């Protein structure tokens, strides 16, 4: 029943219970048997506690992952019930070199480039402005973090209406009433989707940056003030360096969020116009539900997984380091 | 703005804008410039003036930014309170002088928003509770128990964070269909009842428990349940609360999975319902806006009430342990 | 009853041996202090007794049963931690009550015993506060109360005073001694503070490198340190130690040190001869050194530390070695820079084999 988990290298497996020299018979049997039973119970309890999670993971995370990889080697006919054909690497090669896939990849990269740096800069700007002792600053903090409470769907529907070519307020303001909608304009659609995304993620960016700023020790700021540094110098040479882990974290998390963006595309543009907003995730969805081609979708899914994997590995690295070593 | 305007100046670009918006842009520009000028000038002025000028400058910047961030939300609320013909009026109405609430009633009844919200709450509630329970259980094992393959299994938990829903949804849809869970609450919730992130977050909090406390509890004769309930959980409460709120936000905002795993109004969550509302009420913009407000309201209330915990929670993973 | 006995106990953490072949018996109602520098293994001994660690080898008895492999909660010992280890979310009352609750003591009985202990330790007023709302001294007493309320066979205390400020520490020290006498229970008390060791324990066990160097009454340890380590660890200012070669002149043995030759008594000479030590360390407590015109050591006064009730005269021998002389305030002190001669009564000298550290003679 030990509740103490010793540091890994100190693990003293059962050996400690070697029988002492000539103990009374009753004590001896206790010393020899009960610890082993106790350890068995502890192990059983541990597996019992992990079981629910492991079941969910096995069925809904690892099995699908393996199946996607498996499926990417097969041609799947669009009609259910027909047999799959093993295609080896040919389908993978064909998909990866196809115009559609490369386009989706390019759109995804562009989308990440449009959203991540902008979100980062705006979030930092808001955080720096809100990071001072002013009357009513709490109100501004709440306002700046407010978009956290808008789900992707809410944000998308709001902007979808505001950008409506007939009645949308933004269409009117930008003098585009009655013209082609921004969302249907091949040159502007992805940009518009990006703006919506940046706006929706602004609250999160603000909160993360604020927390990072709070971690900058006050005496450091005071020291730099005493040393005669102006606000700009302070930002550049004191705050930003101290903030760099947070910035890095925000870049990684922001990239993952953008890589996995789906709702705003589905509601705002459905991947159009002319595939100009057809990011990878939407292309996968499209393959499955509109083109009925699971094999192709699987290849793209595996590609998406590999890209996400790189970012997530970095993220876990960061999490582990920060969370464990800061104590 | 377009290629023909390649040589266009700021003035011609402004010319394409609606007069009202042009005025707003110019106004905002003046405020920002004035604020910046004040901030810059303030460094030369006398100390008292400098402080006042800097203060005014800061407030001006904050106000302008707050207006920009808040505007989409504000106009949503305003439009939801207008008559349908007022919504499309030119120039736009920016303040509801005669607010009318019938749009909310329409959204609630005809748009089934009530039903959608209820579904969202049920689904979110189940996911939050489930995730907390599985996370605490797994975290307890990882933090306090010794068993073979502890490290390996922990890596397995972390690995789940590397597989996004977008990779698994296709197979999971098949799985859910074959289990007979398509278009049921089971299908909506069970895949999300455990996350590696949750277990990780709570484990870290448990590991932060001073070793002496564990020893003391052991000497005081606490069993596992007593130790968890009376010692470990109270200490880890901030992390658990953060996880709960975080889980609530992400479950409530889910889009892709509820979209593909439901097929009728009885099961649709509010995020999906909103999309269908927007498609079905094409000419009643006030109703769409009302629905949007209703769909966003729960998270807003949650944000206002739990802002501190949320900030702590979101940053728990990011900045501090 | 409350006897605690360790027989040939060893504890290894991987390659590191924290406790090495320790045999120690604490009698019923005895206050035993485990004294040693940090990292000497004293806390590990305590944790072994508590059952928080299992010994690699050897047996541990509490009362009259061997407790190897017995769970901590069934050993009937209570522990007070350096950090107090109070449960932060519980009030003082619930903290104190916690062990009783786990033993399924009836509610009324529980309340009665908590009140009783709280009264003894003057905690009645703070019973409904949480640890964060209490002072350091109150927290310390709550930790003590949580231990007492169980009425265990033995108390294990791990530096329970070291988080208190100096004044409170002295006061609590006395209170703890009184409490132990009143409750008449066995206490094993771990500390690195020699003052606590000297003042609190019936006996003191001095530890170093996982080995018990000497066990005995405080005065015995002070007057007859078993080896160089104990000699240097106990006493403040520490014992002066000069190392030199035993040299024979006219059949009489003296120890030749950088400051001059130190003469020995006849029994001491015999003991040194019999020990066969090639190098001898001569130790003298600062209060036993005199400023003496005829003393064998030549030195100069470097610094005088005036403490009011006494003066510490820090002298340096020719080679820079330091010798501290403790003078009562009434005795006229020399001035800094003075050349002095130092001497001591031969029977006040402690002799050690400089290579092994072992005491020579009695």
């Amino acid at each position: 029943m030990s509740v103490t988990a010793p540091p890994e290298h100190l693990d003293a497996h059962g050996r400690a219970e070697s029988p002492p020299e000539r103990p009374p018979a009753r004590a001896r049997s206790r010393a020899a048997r009960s610890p082993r039973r106790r350890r068995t119970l502890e192990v059983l309890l541990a597996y019992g506690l992990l079981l629910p999670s492991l079941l969910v993971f096995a069925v809904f995370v690892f099995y699908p992952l393996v199946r996607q990889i498996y499926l990417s080697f097969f041609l799947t006919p669009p009609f259910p019930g027909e047999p799959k054909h093993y295609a080896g690497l040919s389908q993978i090669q064909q998909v990866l070199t196809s115009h559609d896939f490369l386009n989706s990849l390019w759109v995804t990269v562009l989308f990440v480039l449009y959203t991540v740096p902008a979100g980062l800069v705006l979030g930092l700007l808001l955080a720096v402005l809100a990071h001072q002792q002013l009357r009513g600053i709490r109100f501004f903090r709440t306002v700046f973090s407010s978009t956290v409470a808008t789900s992707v769907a809410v944000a998308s529907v709001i902007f979808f209406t505001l950008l409506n070519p007939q009645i949308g307020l933004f269409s009117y303001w930008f003098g585009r009433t009655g013209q082609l909608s921004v969302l249907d304009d091949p040159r502007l659609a992805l940009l518009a989707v990006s703006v919506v995304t940046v706006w929706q993620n602004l609250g999160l960016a603000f909160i993360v940056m604020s927390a990072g700023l709070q971690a900058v020790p006050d005496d450091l700021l005071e020291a730099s003030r005493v040393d005669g540094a102006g606000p700009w110098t302070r930002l550049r040479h004191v705050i930003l360096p101290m903030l760099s882990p947070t910035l890095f974290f925000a870049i990684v998390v922001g990239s993952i969020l953008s890589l996995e963006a789906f709702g705003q595309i589905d509601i705002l543009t459905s991947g159009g116009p002319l595939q100009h907003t057809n990011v990878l995730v939407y292309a996968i969805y499209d393959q499955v539900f509109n083109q009925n081609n699971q094999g192709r979708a699987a290849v793209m899914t595996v590609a998406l997984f590999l890209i996400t994997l790189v970012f997530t590995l970095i993220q876990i690295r960061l999490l582990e380091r920060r969370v464990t070593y800061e104590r | 703005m377009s290629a023909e305007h390649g040589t266009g100046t700021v003035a011609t670009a402004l010319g394409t804008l609606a007069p009202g918006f042009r005025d707003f842009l110019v106004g905002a520009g003046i405020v920002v410039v004035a604020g910046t000028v004040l901030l810059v000038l303030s460094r030369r002025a006398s100390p008292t003036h400098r402080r006042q000028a800097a203060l005014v400058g800061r407030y001006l910047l904050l106000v302008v930014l707050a207006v920009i961030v808040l505007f989409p939300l504000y106009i949503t609320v305003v439009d939801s309170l207008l008559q349908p013909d007022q919504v499309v009026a030119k120039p736009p109405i920016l303040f509801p002088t005669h607010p009318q609430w019938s749009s909310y009633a329409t959204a609630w009844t005809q748009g089934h928003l009530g039903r959608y919200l209820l579904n969202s709450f049920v689904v979110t509630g189940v996911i939050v509770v489930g995730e907390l329970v599985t996370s605490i259980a797994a975290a307890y094992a990882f933090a306090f128990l010794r068993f073979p393959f502890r490290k390996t299994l922990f890596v397995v938990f972390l690995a789940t964070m590397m597989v996004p829903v977008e990779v698994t949804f296709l197979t999971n849809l098949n799985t859910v269909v074959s289990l007979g869970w398509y278009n049921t609450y089971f299908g909506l919730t069970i895949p999300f009842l455990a996350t590696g992130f949750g277990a990780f977050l709570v484990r870290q909090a448990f590991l932060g428990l001073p070793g002496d406390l564990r020893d003391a509890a052991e000497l005081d004769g606490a069993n596992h349940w007593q130790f968890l309930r009376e010692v470990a959980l109270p200490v880890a409460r901030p992390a658990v609360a953060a996880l709960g709120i975080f889980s609530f936000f992400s479950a409530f905002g889910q889009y892709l999975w509820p979209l593909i795993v439901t097929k009728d109004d009885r099961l649709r969550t509010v995020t999906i319902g909103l999309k269908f509302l927007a498609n079905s009420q094409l000419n009643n913009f006030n109703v769409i806006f009302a629905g949007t407000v209703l769909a966003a309201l729960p998270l807003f209330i949650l944000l206002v009430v739990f802002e501190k915990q949320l900030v702590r929670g979101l940053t728990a993973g990011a900045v501090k342990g | 009853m409350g006897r605690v006995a360790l027989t040939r106990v060893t504890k290894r953490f991987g390659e590191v041996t924290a406790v090495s072949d320790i045999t120690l018996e604490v009698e019923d109602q005895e206050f035993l202090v485990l004294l040693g520098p940090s990292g000497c293994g004293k806390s590990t001994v305590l944790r072994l007794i508590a059952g928080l660690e299992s010994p690699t080898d050897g047996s541990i008895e509490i009362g009259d049963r061997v407790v190897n492999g017995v769970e901590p909660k069934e050993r009937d010992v209570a522990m007070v931690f350096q950090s107090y280890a109070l449960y932060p979310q519980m009030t003082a009352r619930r903290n104190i009550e916690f062990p009783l609750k786990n033993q399924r003591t009836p509610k009324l009985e529980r309340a009665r015993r908590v009140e009783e202990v709280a009264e003894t330790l003057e905690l009645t007023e703070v019973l409904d506060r949480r640890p964060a709302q209490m002072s350091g001294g109150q927290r310390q007493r709550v930790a003590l109360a949580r231990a007492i309320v169980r009425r265990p066979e033995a108390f294990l205390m791990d530096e329970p005073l070291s988080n208190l400020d100096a004044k409170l520490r002295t006061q609590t020290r006395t209170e703890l001694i009184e409490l132990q006498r009143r409750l008449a229970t066995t206490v094993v008390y771990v500390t690195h503070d020699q003052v606590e060791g000297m003042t609190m324990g019936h006996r003191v066990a001095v530890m170093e490198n996982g080995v018990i160097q000497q066990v005995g009454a405080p005065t015995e340890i002070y007057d007859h340190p078993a080896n160089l380590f104990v000699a240097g660890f106990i006493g403040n200012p520490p014992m002066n130690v000069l190392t030199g070669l035993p040299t024979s002149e006219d059949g009489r043995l003296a120890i030749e040190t950088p400051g001059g030759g130190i003469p020995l008594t006849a029994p001491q000479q015999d003991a040194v001869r019999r020990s066969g030590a090639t190098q001898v360390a001569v130790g003298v407590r600062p209060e036993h050194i005199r400023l003496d015109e005829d003393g064998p050591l030549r030195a100069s006064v470097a610094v005088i530390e005036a403490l009011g009730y006494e003066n510490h005269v820090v002298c340096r021998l020719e080679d820079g070695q330091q010798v501290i002389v403790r003078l009562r305030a009434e005795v006229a002190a020399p001035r800094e820079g003075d050349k002095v001669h130092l001497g001591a009564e031969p029977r006040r000298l402690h002799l050690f084999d400089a290579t092994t550290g072992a005491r020579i003679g009695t």
Side-chain angles (χ1 to χ4, degrees):
Chain A
M1 283 284 230
S2 162
V3 267
T4 313
E8 236 73 38
H9 64 285
L10 298 184
D11 207 330
H13 282 288
R15 214 176 331 108
E17 285 83 25
S18 62
E21 296 174 80
R22 282 171 273 100
R26 205 176 118 253
R28 169 177 226 135
S29 68
R30 245 187 129 146
R33 205 152 35 89
S34 119
R36 189 162 307 145
R37 235 191 88 222
R38 208 188 305 155
R39 282 203 39 74
T40 317
L41 284 177
E42 186 175 330
V43 171
L44 284 179
L45 174 66
Y47 287 139
L49 291 173
L50 296 182
L51 189 65
S53 300
L54 286 175
L55 268 180
V56 171
F57 295 159
V59 177
F60 292 107
V61 178
F62 293 114
Y63 164 66
L65 179 63
V66 172
R67 185 158 175 274
Q68 289 305 305
I69 297 172
Y70 169 80
L71 272 183
S72 62
F73 292 99
F74 288 90
L75 293 171
T76 48
F79 309 105
E82 283 186 31
K84 308 188 281 273
H85 300 291
Y86 178 73
L89 293 172
S90 73
Q91 172 169 252
I92 297 174
Q93 192 205 346
Q94 193 245 322
V95 173
L96 292 186
T97 54
S98 72
H99 173 76
D100 286 355
F101 174 79
L102 290 176
N103 171 63
S104 283
L105 198 61
W106 174 237
V107 170
T108 308
V109 169
L110 274 184
F111 183 64
V112 170
L113 288 179
Y114 286 169
T115 51
V116 176
L120 201 72
V121 170
L122 286 175
L124 182 63
L125 175 71
L126 294 185
V128 167
L129 279 173
H131 184 70
Q132 42 197 352
Q133 292 305 320
L134 287 181
R135 194 180 291 251
I137 200 70
R138 260 191 63 90
F139 167 77
F140 289 105
R141 288 205 184 121
T142 307
V143 167
F144 291 159
S145 49
S146 64
T147 67
V148 166
T150 60
S151 55
V152 170
V154 167
S156 304
V157 169
I158 290 176
F159 276 86
F160 184 68
T161 329
L162 288 175
L163 292 172
N164 179 295
Q166 306 309 323
I167 63 114
L169 187 63
F170 285 179
S171 303
Y172 170 74
W173 275 354
F174 286 109
R176 292 180 69 102
T177 303
Q179 298 180 24
L180 189 62
S181 163
V182 172
L183 296 171
D184 292 330
D185 186 330
R187 286 164 306 166
L188 297 177
L190 187 64
L191 212 55
V193 174
S194 303
V195 169
V196 177
T197 308
V198 168
W199 180 78
Q200 199 245 327
N201 287 334
L202 196 56
L204 183 64
F206 168 74
I207 289 173
V208 170
M209 293 296 167
S210 294
L213 275 183
Q214 269 157 32
V216 177
D218 282 342
D219 48 0
L220 204 61
L221 291 180
E222 279 159 16
S224 68
R225 195 169 284 184
V226 172
D227 293 343
W232 177 243
T233 326
R234 244 189 351 258
L235 183 67
R236 255 215 62 183
H237 294 284
V238 184
I239 296 176
L240 282 187
M242 289 295 292
L243 213 55
S244 58
T246 308
L247 294 174
F248 197 46
F249 177 84
I251 291 174
V252 173
V253 172
S255 304
I256 294 176
L257 280 179
S258 289
L259 278 174
E260 295 171 2
F262 173 79
Q264 55 269 61
I265 313 282
D266 186 44
I267 290 177
L268 291 171
T269 63
S270 303
L274 303 170
Q275 308 229 10
H276 273 82
T277 60
N278 196 16
V279 294
L280 213 43
V281 173
Y282 197 83
I284 295 169
Y285 173 83
D286 188 49
Q287 283 296 332
V288 176
F289 290 97
N290 299 332
Q291 327 277 339
N292 250 330
N293 195 332
Q294 296 212 358
R296 274 183 79 93
V299 178
M300 289 154 87
T301 306
V302 174
L304 175 71
F305 169 66
L306 291 178
I307 299 171
T308 325
L309 184 69
V310 174
F311 283 94
T312 319
L313 280 176
I314 302 172
Q315 183 199 9
I316 289 177
R317 259 275 150 78
L318 290 175
L319 277 175
E320 265 276 302
R321 196 170 60 212
R322 329 222 53 221
V323 181
T324 8
Y325 293 137
E326 259 197 31
R327 296 186 188 288
Chain B
M1 307 273 279
S2 60
E4 290 91 316
H5 285 87
T7 54
T9 59
V10 177
T12 57
L14 280 173
T16 66
L17 299 172
F21 185 56
R22 188 173 57 204
D23 296 347
F24 168 76
L25 269 192
V26 172
I30 291 172
V31 171
V32 169
V33 169
T36 318
V37 166
L38 274 174
L39 272 176
V40 171
L41 281 184
S42 66
R43 305 183 57 195
R44 311 233 161 105
S46 76
T48 346
H49 287 135
R50 184 194 312 175
R51 217 165 297 134
Q52 283 170 349
L55 205 62
V56 173
R58 272 180 198 152
Y59 274 117
L60 286 177
L61 280 178
L62 282 170
V63 167
V64 170
L65 287 169
V67 166
I68 293 173
V69 170
L70 218 46
F71 183 77
L73 298 173
Y74 170 77
I75 200 68
T76 305
V77 176
V78 168
D79 282 356
S80 72
L81 297 173
L82 298 175
Q83 302 286 352
D85 56 326
Q86 286 179 301
V87 178
V88 299
K90 306 279 162 18
I93 297 168
L94 294 179
F95 188 80
T97 39
H98 304 286
Q100 56 84 36
W101 301 87
S102 64
S103 55
Y104 283 90
T106 313
W108 190 267
T109 52
Q110 272 174 265
H112 309 294
L113 252 283
R115 180 75 205 184
Y116 297 150
L117 274 171
L118 178 69
N119 286 337
S120 276
F121 275 118
V122 171
V123 168
T124 305
V126 171
I127 291 178
V128 169
V129 172
E131 192 181 343
L132 286 183
V133 170
T134 56
S135 297
I136 290 169
Y140 189 86
F142 283 127
F144 299 127
L145 300 179
R146 278 179 296 168
F147 53 92
F149 305 113
R150 187 168 75 181
K151 275 200 155 166
T152 318
L153 283 172
F154 188 61
V155 172
V156 167
F157 269 61
L158 286 185
T160 62
M161 288 163 69
M162 299 176 212
V163 188
V165 183
E166 285 74 7
V167 170
T168 57
F169 76 92
L170 177 51
T171 308
N172 285 349
L173 182 60
N174 292 333
T175 308
V176 161
V177 168
S178 58
L179 286 170
W181 291 347
Y182 179 70
N183 205 37
T184 66
Y185 285 128
F186 288 119
L188 279 166
T189 53
I190 287 183
F192 306 100
L193 289 189
T195 61
F197 174 72
F200 175 80
L201 204 67
V202 181
R203 180 192 90 125
Q204 295 307 111
F206 280 164
L207 288 184
L209 206 72
D212 278 356
L213 271 189
R214 279 189 248 165
D215 292 343
E218 202 178 348
L219 276 165
D220 287 343
N223 60 32
H224 286 297
W225 174 242
Q226 286 163 327
F227 174 65
L228 173 68
R229 208 173 47 119
E230 307 219 26
V231 182
L233 268 188
V235 171
R237 202 167 51 188
V240 173
L243 176 63
I245 298 163
F246 189 78
S247 164
F248 195 104
F249 270 75
S250 54
F252 203 91
Q254 273 201 57
Y255 186 83
L256 176 59
W257 183 251
L259 175 68
I260 60 170
V261 85
T262 57
K263 66 165 185 232
D264 62 49
D265 284 342
R266 286 186 306 111
L267 267 303
R268 266 178 206 138
T269 58
V270 74
T271 44
I272 310 307
L274 194 58
K275 172 183 162 147
F276 283 89
L277 181 77
N279 288 343
S280 67
Q281 301 279 337
L282 275 178
N283 294 316
N284 296 326
F285 280 92
N286 55 339
V287 175
I288 298 178
F289 282 120
T292 313
V293 172
L294 286 175
L297 210 53
L299 290 190
F300 267 102
I301 293 169
L302 208 66
L303 174 74
V304 173
V305 176
F306 291 109
E307 201 198 347
K308 262 219 170 104
Q309 281 89 338
L310 177 73
V311 171
R312 214 184 307 163
L314 286 172
T315 53
V319 182
K320 281 199 171 159
Chain C
M1 248 213 52
R3 186 184 79 106
V4 176
L6 288 81
T7 312
R8 312 211 57 179
V9 170
T10 296
K11 175 65 182 176
R12 275 189 287 273
F13 295 110
E15 295 292 296
V16 185
T17 305
V19 169
S20 168
D21 198 14
I22 276 188
T23 299
L24 177 69
E25 180 158 350
V26 188
E27 283 162 34
D28 186 26
Q29 305 190 15
E30 187 185 15
F31 196 123
L32 180 110
V33 175
L34 273 174
L35 179 65
S38 59
C40 72
K42 55 191 193 300
S43 290
T44 308
V45 172
L46 211 62
R47 294 171 61 81
L48 284 166
I49 299 173
L52 296 170
E53 308 282 355
S54 312
T56 314
D57 214 338
S59 86
I60 300 172
E61 289 168 61
I62 296 174
D64 43 18
R65 61 175 178 151
V66 175
V67 293
N68 294 41
V70 176
E71 276 189 61
K73 62 177 173 183
E74 280 158 16
R75 292 188 177 201
D76 203 12
V77 294
M79 191 157 166
V80 180
F81 294 83
Q82 176 174 6
S83 63
Y84 312 143
L86 299 181
Y87 308 114
Q89 320 292 328
M90 299 185 196
T91 59
R93 185 192 305 279
R94 291 193 52 213
N95 259 290
I96 300 170
E97 199 180 33
F98 192 62
L100 298 181
K101 223 166 145 186
N102 296 333
Q103 288 172 357
R104 296 175 200 278
T105 311
K107 208 169 177 181
L108 276 175
E109 158 102 7
R110 232 155 59 196
R112 194 180 55 73
R113 276 164 73 174
V114 170
E115 293 292 339
E116 197 179 290
V117 172
E119 203 153 309
T120 316
L121 293 175
E122 294 170 31
L123 285 169
T124 315
E125 262 93 85
V126 297
L127 271 182
D128 293 311
R129 291 199 205 153
R130 290 181 181 199
Q133 301 160 322
M134 292 186 246
S135 72
Q138 287 167 341
R139 270 180 239 173
Q140 200 269 344
R141 294 210 299 281
V142 172
L144 207 56
R146 186 174 65 186
I148 291 174
V149 79
R150 294 176 54 186
R151 300 179 182 157
E153 287 212 50
F155 288 101
L156 310 175
M157 304 196 183
D158 193 356
E159 310 239 6
L161 303 183
S162 59
N163 281 348
L164 300 177
D165 64 54
K167 200 177 156 199
L168 198 54
R169 196 181 313 160
T170 316
Q171 186 192 331
T172 314
R173 202 171 66 207
T174 321
E175 287 168 5
L176 261 185
I177 299 171
E178 283 174 353
L179 192 69
Q180 192 263 342
R181 310 293 192 257
R182 186 144 41 100
L183 297 174
T185 48
T186 314
V187 172
V188 182
Y189 186 105
V190 161
T191 183
H192 67 274
D193 181 340
Q194 48 159 316
V195 178
E196 285 174 23
M198 299 297 287
T199 53
M200 301 181 85
H202 293 118
R203 283 192 304 156
V204 178
V206 182
M207 275 191 78
E208 158 74 348
N209 285 334
V211 177
I212 293 187
Q213 305 288 333
Q214 187 174 7
V215 189
T219 47
E220 190 186 330
I221 286 188
Y222 190 80
D223 293 337
H224 298 280
N227 55 37
L228 262 177
F229 173 78
V230 178
F233 190 72
I234 307 279
N236 188 24
M239 183 184 277
N240 297 299
V241 178
L242 299 172
T243 305
L245 300 171
T247 37
S248 217
E249 205 173 307
D250 307 334
R252 271 191 292 182
L253 201 65
I255 310 298
E256 204 58 48
T257 70
I262 301 175
L264 304 177
T265 64
Q268 283 171 339
Q269 294 177 32
D270 285 345
V272 171
R273 281 200 195 93
R274 262 182 283 122
S275 75
T278 50
Q279 279 218 315
V280 173
V282 182
V284 200
R285 299 238 175 246
E287 61 267 33
H288 295 143
I289 295 197
R290 291 168 321 207
L291 297 170
D292 183 350
E293 291 286 306
D294 307 321
L297 294 180
R298 296 169 302 278
S300 61
V301 178
V303 174
I304 301 209
E305 296 171 352
L307 300 179
Y309 56 96
E310 67 182 23
N311 294 314
H312 295 172
V313 182
V314 184
C315 305
R316 289 204 183 280
L317 303 183
E318 269 170 29
D319 66 338
Q321 257 197 86
Q322 182 180 295
V323 174
I324 299 178
V325 184
R326 199 162 166 177
L327 293 180
R328 280 182 295 128
E330 303 90 79
V331 180
R335 276 174 306 178
E336 293 181 0
D338 283 358
K339 300 283 180 210
V340 292
H341 284 258
L342 306 173
E345 268 184 62
R347 64 183 182 94
R348 295 295 194 184
L349 301 182
H350 304 265
L351 302 178
F352 304 94
D353 183 326
T355 348
T356 63
R359 186 176 184 88
I360 298 174
T362 47

